[in-house]
């Protein structure tokens, strides 16, 4: 069952567990496919906290030791060909 909520604070308690299980699955797939040094999981609640898209979602970001951390909202768009290649790696890891 899908809940249309603005952020994590509005999520019905009975949906939190299943939602976080899906976040974990995505993090595990990224780890398997991309072999990062770590995984960053971000979630923003309210404009003052950095939320710019007003529905509940998590950012699951593979991190590599040799790449600097870029603050939320400051990253540049990656070329579509690179995104397609990354998507293929993730799909192939299923």
């Amino acid at each position: 069952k899908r809940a249309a909520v603005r952020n994590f604070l509005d999520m019905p308690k009975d949906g939190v567990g299943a939602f976080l299980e899906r976040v974990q699955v995505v993090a595990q797939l990224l780890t398997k496919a991309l072999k990062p040094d770590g995984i960053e999981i971000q979630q923003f609640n309210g404009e003052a906290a950095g939320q710019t898209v007003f529905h509940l979602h998590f950012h699951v970001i593979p991190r590599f030791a040799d790449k600097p951390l870029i603050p939320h909202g400051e990253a540049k768009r990656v070329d579509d060909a690179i995104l397609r290649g990354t998507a293929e790696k993730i799909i192939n890891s299923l």
Side-chain angles (χ1 to χ4, degrees), residues 23-41 60-64 89-90 93:
V23 172
Q24 183 184 48
V25 167
V26 171
Q28 290 168 336
L29 284 172
L30 288 176
T31 299
K32 181 179 176 186
L34 305 177
K35 312 264 189 282
D37 298 308
I39 292 284
E40 180 178 347
I41 298 173
V60 183
I61 307 165
R63 292 295 188 182
F64 299 89
K89 285 181 185 177
I90 295 166
S93 74

Side-chain angles (χ1 to χ4, degrees), residues 75-86:
K76 292 183 173 67
R77 179 155 170 80
V78 176
D79 182 81
D80 285 346
I82 293 171
L83 290 175
R84 279 192 295 277
T86 302

